Amino acid sequence: MSHPTEDALKPSNFLRAIIERDLEQGSLQGRHFAGTPGDAAHHEAGPLDPAKIRTRFPPEPNGYLHIGHAKSICLNFGLARDYGGICHLRFDDTNPEKEEQEYVDAIKEMVSWLGWKWERADASGHNTSHLFYASNYFDFMYRAAEYLVTAGLAYVDEQTPEAMRANRGDFSTPGTDSPFRSRSPEENLARLREMKNGVHPDGAMVLRAKIDMASPNINLRDPALYRIRRATHHNTGDAWCIYPMYTFAHPIEDALERITHSICTLEFEDQRPFYDWLLGKLAEGGLLAHPLPHQYEFGRLNLSYVVTSKRKLRQLVDEGHVSGWDDPRMPTLAGMRRRGYTPESVRAMVEATGVTKSNAWLDYAVLDGCLRTDLEGKAARACAVLDPLKLKLTNWAELFGSEAHREACSAPAHPHHPEMGLRQFTLGPEVWVEQEDFMEVPVKGYHRLYPGNKARLKYGYVIECSGCEKDAEGKVTAVLARVVPDTKSGTPGADSVKVKGVITWVGAHEAVAAELRLYDRLFTVAQPGTGEADFLTELNPASCKIVTGYLEPSLAQWPAALQVQFERHGYFVSDRVDHQADKPVFNKITGLRDGWGK
Ligand code: ATP
Ligand code: MG
C-alpha cells in the first residue's frame, strides 16, 4: 500500500507553525541518529539524522485502536510525510499486566490499513523499519533511575500508599515531605537495588523523583518513577520485578528514539514540566543528547453516539453487548473497516476536524459525508430490495408469448464511468419491489404504485397498477400491474408515456437472497457515559436490524469487503467475515443522504 499522498492540501495549524518555525530557525539541525534508539553516546557516534523531524505514534498494546487513535496516527505520520521526517510506530508496552500480542498485531494491521508505513527505504534502497518497543528500553530506564538516585534527584519512599496520598496535598494545600526524603544517595541506591533484586514485596516502596512537594503543579510533587510488581512481561518475561511508571518511561522513550516533536493529547499538559525536568536532568548527566524532544498537546477527538475509552470498549466486548472488537457498530478502526468505511473517508474526516487545543465531539454525519464523497465516484451501483413485496405482471404471457419469456435489461455499473461497464439482468413476470412502493389508497403526492397509476420499473417498462392480492387477514401479498407495451427504457418509445414514479426492482426468477445488516447508532445519547447514567443503560437496543433482501444477479459472485451503492438505499459493503458468494451478507454503511436525526 502506498503512503497516502492524495489527501487534500492541509490547512495550517499550530503544530505546523511550530515545526515550520523549528525548521526555519535550524534548531533541529546537526542532530545525529545512529539508526537505532539509544543513549547520547550511541547517537553521537552515528551520522547526521537524515530525517528533518521525528514524530511517533505510541499506542499501548492493551486494546484495539479507535477513531480517536486515527487522529493521532494521521497527525503524526502526516506531519512526518509533509516535512521530510519519519514517524515511528512505538508500542508503549511498559505495563506488564494488560498487554498482549493480539493487540500488537491488530494495531499494526490498522495503521497499515489507514495507509501509513513505518518502513522507509534509505538512499541506497535499504528498508529501515521504525517499529519499536518501549520494553526494549528497560535497561536504559533503570540506568537513568540509578543516575537520578546518585545525583540526589530521586529517593526510595517507604510510606504506605495512603500516607503518600495524604502527604501529596491538593490544589490549595502544599504537600508534606516524606520522612524518607532526606536519605543519602548511597542509602537510596542500596534500596533501589534491593527493589530490583526482588528483596521487597510488591507495593512495599516506590522510587520517586525529588523535585518539590510544594509545587503548585501536583505532578511535580515528587512523582513516582518505579514500582515493584511481580508480573510476567510479554517481551521481557520475568527479568524484572520493578516496572517504570508511564510518566517516567514516556519521555525517555522519546529521547532514545530522538523524537523531535512528541505530540500527545491535552490531558498530558500538566505533565510537560516533569517531561522537561526529567530529560533536562538526564542530559546534564550525559545520558541523553541534545536537542531534546518537546511535548505538544492537542485536543482529543470523540465521536458522538459512541464511546472511545478502551476500558468501555472492552466492557462492551467482554459482556457481549457487541459481537467483538470488530463489530460494525464499534468505533474501533477494525469495526469501522468491517462496517465499510474506507481509509480515505477516515483520513478525510480526521482532516476535517483540524488540530486544536480543545477536545472535539464529532458527529457520525461528518464521517458519513466523507464516505459518500469518497464512494460516490468509485462504488459500483446495483439494485436491491430490502423490504420485499411481490409484483405480478399480469399481461406478461399475452404480451411476450409465454410466462417463461425474459426481457434483457442493462444499466451502467456507474452513471459517470462508462468504463466500469454494464450490469445485465432480466425482467420476467414476477419481480420484487419495496413494500413502500405500493399504497392501496395513496397519500397526496404519492407517485409510485396504486390502482390506476403508471410508474416505471427502472431500466425496464412503464407499468400500470391494477390492484393487489391479500391474505385472509387483509395483508397485501402481491401487487398486480400490466406492462405498457413499447415503453422499454432505451428504446424510441420509452418517453411516449410520462410517469412521475420510478421503481427499483429485482427479477424474482434471478434474485440473489442476502442477509442485510442494517445498523443504527450504538447509543441513544450523543455523549454516552458523560452524565449520571451508567453508559450501558444508554445502549440502543435497536442498533442492528437483520433482514433478508433480494439483490440483482450482478451481485451473485461479489467478493468480500467490497463496497457497493444500492440504488436509492445507500452504501453497503459485503461483510469481510461472514460474506460468501453463495451466502451473501451485506452491511449498511450509510444512506445516500444524511438521515441521522430523522
Ligand atoms: P484510551 O484513553 O482510549 O485508553 P489511550 O490514550 O490510553 O486511549 P494509547 O494507546 O495510550 O491510548 O494512545 C496512543 C496515542 O493515541 C496517544 O498518543 C494518545 O494521546 C492518542 N489518542 C488516544 N485517544 C485519542 C483521541 N480520542 N483523540 C486523539 N488522540 C488520541
Ligand atoms: Mg494512554
Side-chain angles (χ1 to χ4, degrees):
M1 194 179 300
S2 69
H3 230 56
T5 48
E6 74 278 22
D7 301 348
L9 209 64
K10 307 302 164 311
S12 199
N13 62 49
F14 76 96
L15 290 171
R16 293 181 168 266
I18 287 167
I19 292 171
E20 284 164 19
R21 177 206 63 196
D22 291 347
L23 293 176
E24 205 168 291
Q25 295 179 345
S27 57
L28 303 173
Q29 271 170 19
R31 285 172 305 121
H32 289 249
F33 183 74
T36 51
D39 65 6
H42 177 73
H43 286 304
E44 292 310 341
L48 282 176
D49 192 344
K52 290 217 174 78
I53 62 168
R54 283 184 190 268
T55 56
R56 85 286 176 267
F57 172 62
E60 189 178 347
N62 63 352
Y64 281 66
L65 297 180
H66 55 62
I67 182 71
H69 293 117
K71 170 119 203 166
S72 179
I73 293 169
C74 294
L75 188 56
N76 282 295
F77 280 92
L79 289 172
R81 172 196 63 196
D82 294 348
Y83 291 102
I86 289 177
C87 181
H88 299 185
L89 173 59
R90 177 204 309 149
F91 287 102
D92 206 332
D93 59 350
T94 53
N95 183 350
E97 277 131 354
K98 300 176 294 184
E99 295 157 0
E100 284 173 34
Q101 187 62 37
E102 175 197 350
Y103 300 132
V104 169
D105 296 339
I107 289 169
K108 282 159 73 174
E109 189 180 342
M110 296 325 297
V111 173
S112 299
W113 176 73
L114 274 178
W116 304 105
K117 283 181 176 170
W118 52 86
E119 283 185 353
R120 198 60 88 70
D122 63 21
S124 58
H126 178 73
N127 243 343
T128 309
S129 170
H130 302 94
L131 173 68
F132 301 117
Y133 293 84
S135 57
N136 287 334
Y137 312 148
F138 279 157
D139 284 333
F140 180 89
M141 289 174 190
Y142 179 75
R143 191 179 130 210
E146 286 211 348
Y147 166 75
L148 292 177
V149 165
T150 315
L153 297 168
Y155 63 99
V156 172
D157 193 352
E158 297 181 39
Q159 291 183 99
T160 63
E162 297 74 45
M164 231 177 278
R165 209 170 306 123
N167 289 337
R168 189 172 297 130
D170 56 30
F171 283 113
S172 48
T173 332
T176 314
D177 283 4
S178 162
F180 301 92
R181 199 175 195 265
S182 50
R183 275 178 171 163
S184 71
E186 295 71 31
E187 260 179 293
N188 280 315
L189 189 59
R191 277 289 188 290
L192 174 60
R193 289 184 175 165
E194 286 173 16
M195 280 173 66
K196 172 175 182 271
N197 293 333
V199 175
H200 301 286
D202 285 13
M205 52 192 71
V206 294
L207 182 72
R208 295 178 77 174
K210 193 171 181 176
I211 308 179
D212 178 7
M213 287 306 290
S215 172
N217 182 340
I218 294 181
N219 296 294
L220 291 180
R221 294 184 189 171
D222 294 6
L225 309 179
Y226 262 99
R227 64 200 166 118
I228 308 176
R229 181 81 187 91
R230 285 170 179 77
T232 304
H233 188 277
H234 77 105
N235 179 24
T236 54
D238 293 320
W240 296 90
C241 68
I242 58 171
Y243 288 95
M245 306 301 289
Y246 177 84
T247 47
F248 175 69
H250 200 88
I252 292 180
E253 294 159 21
D254 285 343
L256 294 176
E257 292 178 20
R258 304 242 65 191
I259 299 302
T260 56
H261 300 82
S262 174
I263 298 164
C264 63
T265 38
L266 282 181
E267 68 273 22
F268 294 103
E269 194 166 7
D270 290 346
Q271 295 285 357
R272 189 175 356 114
F274 176 69
Y275 186 104
D276 292 338
W277 179 91
L278 176 65
L279 295 187
K281 296 297 180 200
L282 296 177
E284 272 170 33
L287 279 76
L288 296 175
H290 281 285
L292 294 167
H294 279 279
Q295 174 182 304
Y296 301 96
E297 309 87 19
F298 71 99
R300 285 180 96 86
L301 173 64
N302 301 297
L303 205 53
S304 56
Y305 295 96
V306 290
V307 292
T308 47
S309 134
K310 270 191 260 187
R311 182 181 59 75
K312 288 179 180 164
L313 293 173
R314 177 172 304 104
Q315 199 178 340
L316 292 176
V317 173
D318 288 350
E319 296 178 6
H321 302 290
V322 294
S323 65
W325 286 101
D326 67 348
D327 185 299
R329 292 164 294 180
M330 291 279 272
T332 52
L333 295 181
M336 293 171 67
R337 175 178 70 171
R338 187 165 172 194
R339 173 73 166 263
Y341 290 104
T342 57
E344 291 81 358
S345 63
V346 175
R347 291 205 303 269
M349 189 216 58
V350 161
E351 212 51 70
T353 63
V355 181
T356 62
K357 277 279 192 185
S358 57
N359 295 328
W361 280 85
L362 199 73
D363 200 86
Y364 255 102
V366 178
L367 177 59
D368 287 348
C370 292
L371 182 86
R372 290 185 201 105
T373 304
D374 182 33
L375 288 187
E376 162 57 28
K378 298 204 284 216
R381 284 15 180 196
C383 284
V385 175
L386 274 47
D387 189 14
L389 175 63
K390 185 69 74 64
L391 166 69
K392 296 181 178 171
L393 301 173
T394 53
N395 62 338
W396 190 264
E398 181 191 321
L399 203 60
F400 296 111
S402 147
E403 289 290 322
H405 174 79
R406 302 287 177 254
E407 274 287 292
C409 302
S410 68
H414 192 289
H416 311 305
H417 291 295
E419 74 282 3
M420 286 171 73
L422 289 176
R423 300 133 53 191
Q424 311 288 349
F425 43 93
T426 62
L427 183 59
E430 294 197 347
V431 301
W432 294 110
V433 297
E434 298 288 345
Q435 295 272 359
E436 64 174 26
D437 287 349
F438 173 72
M439 289 186 99
E440 199 172 9
V441 182
V443 295
K444 196 162 174 286
Y446 189 77
H447 299 302
R448 288 172 261 173
L449 299 172
Y450 58 88
N453 193 41
K454 294 193 185 77
R456 174 175 295 283
L457 289 179
K458 199 173 185 186
Y459 312 118
Y461 282 84
V462 173
I463 59 171
E464 178 170 355
C465 181
S466 56
C468 63
E469 292 174 354
K470 293 179 183 177
D471 64 13
E473 275 90 57
K475 186 173 172 288
V476 176
T477 52
V479 183
L480 305 174
R482 292 173 62 81
V483 177
V484 180
D486 302 323
T487 58
K488 192 173 176 188
S489 294
T491 67
D495 291 332
S496 60
V497 182
K498 296 275 180 246
V499 294
K500 287 191 173 160
V502 178
I503 313 288
T504 49
W505 56 277
V506 174
H509 57 280
E510 63 184 11
V512 177
E515 178 177 326
L516 304 175
R517 299 174 179 171
L518 311 176
Y519 295 106
D520 198 350
R521 290 167 162 152
L522 186 52
F523 288 90
T524 54
V525 300
Q527 303 187 358
T530 55
E532 299 283 287
D534 176 358
F535 80 110
L536 291 176
T537 64
E538 299 171 331
L539 276 167
N540 176 6
S543 59
C544 177
K545 185 173 151 201
I546 296 182
V547 300
T548 299
Y550 293 110
L551 315 180
E552 67 169 56
S554 71
L555 291 166
Q557 296 299 318
W558 199 253
L562 184 60
Q563 286 84 354
V564 56
Q565 185 195 103
F566 289 164
E567 295 190 20
R568 93 189 239 195
H569 292 300
Y571 292 101
F572 284 69
V573 70
S574 41
D575 189 75
R576 59 186 306 115
V577 179
D578 298 329
H579 176 84
Q580 288 163 15
D582 58 351
K583 202 182 158 296
V585 179
F586 283 81
N587 301 326
K588 182 167 182 179
I589 316 170
T590 186
L592 292 178
R593 259 156 256 106
D594 181 15
W596 295 119
K598 289 214 184 103

